[in-house]
Amino acid sequence: MSDLGKLQSELLARITAATDEAALEALRVEALGKKGSISELLKTLGSISPEERKVRGPALNGLRDAVADAIAGRKAQLGDAALDARLKSETVDVSLPPRPTAQGSVHPISQVLEEITAIFADMGFAVAEGPDVEFDDYNFTKLNIPPNHPARQMQDTFYMSGGEVGKEANVLRTHTSPVQVRTMLAQKPPIRVISPGRAYRVDSDATHSPMFHQVEALVVDRGIHLGHLKWTIEEFCKAFFEIDAIELRARPSFFPFTEPSLEWDMRCDRSVPGQIKFGQGNDWLELGGSGMVNPKVLSGCGIDPAQYSGFAFGFGLDRMAMLKYAIPDIRGFFESDIRWLKHYGFAALDIPTLYGGLSK
Ligand code: PHE
């Protein structure tokens, strides 16, 4: 056997015998490294005759490639064997429950807002929105509450400093009713909108929060009367509270922007299974105000009261969430207590198909 043949079979035997990557690497350095045996042999090619080089050159290159291939092959073999060994020794327990991930929940206000929007969408209402910082004109004057009118005292208002009255938005809206004005200024009848959103008043106890939510409804068309108002409120309450035998009570009231005005209460009878869970005994619980849109408000917004009439109501959204989900204190909604949110929050927006019943 030639010297190269001997070297090759010796190297290949050692490569096959190598049992780990470190041994293989040592062999690679020994043969192919800068000072390796094959590298040294390659260097001698320069000092031999061209005829000899023609034979020895290809033979050396062949040796080098054979050794490099053998190292790569053995390396792959060792890698596969290591993986096999690991797969045999390690078992994956697929029945192990996944680690809990921190997950948020849907706030009851968001849930209720979705539910209400779905119910009214079924009845053909669109959603209208307005800003929280409102023009005095829209929050009061165009709703027939002129400056210095005693009715302004009904609502303890947060005023923003700096805003020039009449020119800049300068009040935190005290109700969602200014969205009525915005809608009527922007749109001709027929109008059917709800506007859920935040409202603000200087007020704070177990059932009042300085920031709270309302849902306003406005319908303006030809021939709209109190019957439409009553039907809409009843149907809405049945769908929202998921009770057919709802008991509602209307009390005469006063709002400058409606005439006549009514306030609505709902019966909460804890002795009847499935009835509203909140309150004591059989209380009447207040939902909010309503009425026929005052003709002055219609004409102030460019709608002819001789042709059109309308109704509006504004219900407390937080209060409705409290009633439906038995939440005793309004302040919990806005304290961001993780325990409260876990208890009252919803896993995902869950809108019962029941509301589809209204469109049947
Ligand atoms: N905006 C009134 C309030 O906040 C409620 C209301 C809305 C009354 C619409 C009549 C019509 O008290």
Side-chain angles (χ1 to χ4, degrees):
M1 202 190 275
S2 70
D3 60 336
L4 296 188
K6 233 173 105 189
L7 181 58
Q8 176 162 344
S9 53
E10 185 205 312
L11 281 171
L12 294 188
R14 288 174 61 201
I15 289 167
T16 314
T19 52
D20 57 38
E21 275 201 34
L24 269 182
E25 177 60 13
L27 271 167
R28 191 194 61 79
V29 173
E30 188 189 321
L32 306 170
K34 251 194 184 153
K35 298 222 163 94
S37 49
I38 298 176
S39 310
E40 292 296 339
L41 286 169
L42 281 163
K43 282 181 203 158
T44 63
L45 284 176
S47 56
I48 56 176
S49 70
E51 290 76 33
E52 272 181 311
R53 200 180 302 138
K54 260 192 200 146
V55 183
R56 196 146 172 94
L60 272 174
N61 284 340
L63 170 63
R64 184 195 55 203
D65 293 348
V67 170
D69 285 353
I71 291 176
R74 180 69 184 145
K75 199 168 167 180
Q77 246 178 19
L78 286 175
D80 284 353
L83 183 64
D84 266 359
R86 230 184 77 198
L87 288 177
K88 273 190 197 116
S89 67
E90 270 178 19
T91 49
V92 178
D93 182 359
V94 289
S95 70
L96 197 67
R99 266 175 233 158
T101 47
Q103 224 179 17
S105 58
V106 176
H107 195 282
I109 299 284
S110 306
Q111 167 73 21
V112 160
L113 204 116
E114 289 294 325
E115 291 175 10
I116 291 174
T117 310
I119 295 168
F120 278 107
D122 258 358
M123 295 202 256
F125 285 68
V127 174
E129 284 183 306
D132 289 13
V133 182
E134 189 52 281
F135 291 101
D136 183 284
D137 189 42
Y138 292 175
N139 194 80
F140 293 122
T141 315
K142 281 217 163 41
L143 289 168
N144 194 31
I145 315 173
N148 306 318
H149 189 283
R152 289 203 179 202
Q153 254 85 74
M154 277 168 75
Q155 301 179 345
D156 294 310
T157 310
F158 286 110
Y159 284 94
M160 309 294 285
S161 58
E164 197 183 327
V165 176
K167 289 231 170 90
E168 284 170 62
N170 69 324
V171 299
L172 284 177
R173 64 178 182 189
T174 56
H175 47 183
T176 43
S177 300
V179 190
Q180 287 188 36
V181 173
R182 288 178 173 272
T183 307
M184 288 190 279
L185 288 174
Q187 187 184 331
K188 294 280 144 271
I191 293 172
R192 269 197 252 179
V193 293
I194 56 158
S195 40
R198 282 182 285 272
Y200 305 81
R201 284 182 208 173
V202 185
D203 212 351
S204 186
D205 60 37
T207 52
H208 297 88
S209 152
M211 190 279 293
F212 57 103
H213 295 80
Q214 287 188 330
V215 57
E216 192 86 8
L218 173 70
V219 171
V220 183
D221 205 344
R222 292 176 201 274
I224 295 294
H225 54 72
L226 265 182
H228 296 123
L229 168 66
K230 180 171 181 271
W231 182 88
T232 308
I233 288 177
E234 269 174 10
E235 288 307 303
F236 163 64
C237 287
K238 278 196 235 168
F240 178 74
F241 290 107
E242 300 171 39
I243 305 170
D244 273 336
I246 201 122
E247 253 189 280
L248 290 170
R249 173 173 83 176
R251 287 175 285 117
S253 185
F254 169 77
F255 300 100
F257 38 96
T258 47
E259 183 57 39
S261 303
L262 300 168
E263 271 183 79
W264 292 86
D265 301 327
M266 191 177 62
R267 175 71 150 260
C268 141
D269 192 345
R270 297 187 101 183
S271 59
V272 179
Q275 273 273 27
I276 306 305
K277 305 163 196 95
F278 182 64
Q280 280 149 27
N282 55 35
D283 281 347
W284 288 99
L285 292 152
E286 188 184 321
L287 292 170
S290 73
M292 299 306 293
V293 181
N294 192 317
K296 275 194 192 163
V297 173
L298 290 175
S299 53
C301 293
I303 292 174
D304 180 3
Q307 291 191 53
Y308 295 104
S309 54
F311 71 76
F313 59 85
F315 283 3
L317 208 134
D318 320 79
R319 195 161 295 169
M320 290 197 300
M322 290 166 77
L323 288 171
K324 181 165 178 178
Y325 295 113
I327 301 170
D329 191 320
I330 197 172
R331 290 168 292 199
F333 282 111
F334 314 117
E335 281 171 352
S336 301
D337 183 329
I338 205 89
R339 294 162 302 179
W340 189 97
L341 292 167
K342 267 205 179 123
H343 184 77
Y344 291 111
F346 292 80
L349 283 180
D350 171 24
I351 301 159
T353 46
L354 178 136
Y355 302 139
L358 281 176
S359 52
K360 273 183 213 141

